[in-house]
Amino acid sequence: MLTNDQINVVDPEQVKAVYLAAEDIKIAASILYLAYHDDPLFLDIFEHEKEGYESRLRSAIREELNAFWTDKQPMIGLFDDERLIAVACVINPSSAIGGNRFWHWRLKMLLTAGYFGTKQMLHKESIVREHVPAERFHMLSLIAVHPDHQAHGLGHILMRAIDSVVLEDESSEGIGMYVTLPKFRAFFEENNFTFINNIEVGHIQGQLMFKRR
């Protein structure tokens, strides 16, 4: 009889990276929720000590993905056959997503994630962008591999797909990422990101990483 681990084994050679379709967004939101549930920054922003943290986090991720879809920003998925097993959300240099979010995103976030969470999300984006050593650049907003499929090199495959997105835009100087868990810094360094600076958002200190094209 096969064990659960054997059932969940993914052959990296068979994985394909494609842009997400509308019908993939719900599964993508679930994968991102699992990945960011215990992230220190999200715990702080959405006040995990108060009742309703999970609901606020789910709402924020859902609205974030809806914003990406509306603004036609790259949402990349890794698929094993028909199963979505990893996802990354990238912000293009010319996107309206960023410190100056469009008003309907702010309104939805205020209604679902609350005033404090919305304010902190906007503050995080603004302060991180101020420290990126470039004028025109991409930002890696969210990245996650489903917990059942981690530690098999899928994150590196996803990063290669992200690199392709950056290279397609000749005006982009590279891509930035704000890392809040020290254990992930090594992953980004393995993928040629350079540490830029420690940045404090709220009560959490993270590291700004940047990869030049």
Side-chain angles (χ1 to χ4, degrees), residues 85-102:
I85 55 177
V87 61
C89 299
V90 179
I91 302 174
N92 286 328
S94 58
S95 172
I97 298 179
N100 297 315
R101 293 275 187 163
F102 27 80

Side-chain angles (χ1 to χ4, degrees), residues 30-78:
S30 296
I31 293 173
L32 290 167
Y33 172 81
L34 292 172
Y36 286 96
H37 182 275
D38 298 320
D39 185 284
L41 182 63
F42 284 81
L43 289 169
D44 186 55
I45 286 177
F46 297 111
E47 302 176 291
H48 72 98
E49 71 281 0
K50 295 183 179 179
E51 184 178 354
Y53 165 71
E54 285 81 8
S55 177
R56 290 190 294 276
L57 178 61
R58 286 187 189 277
S59 297
I61 290 173
R62 182 180 65 247
E63 295 306 330
E64 191 77 351
L65 294 182
N66 286 337
F68 269 80
W69 181 257
T70 299
D71 200 41
K72 297 180 173 61
Q73 295 303 296
M75 292 189 289
I76 306 164
L78 287 188

Side-chain angles (χ1 to χ4, degrees), residues 6-27:
Q6 290 172 317
I7 292 172
N8 287 326
V9 167
V10 172
D11 181 359
E13 297 297 325
Q14 301 301 315
V15 168
K16 59 181 180 180
V18 299
Y19 288 117
L20 297 185
E23 59 267 25
D24 302 318
I25 290 178
K26 185 176 181 180
I27 301 300

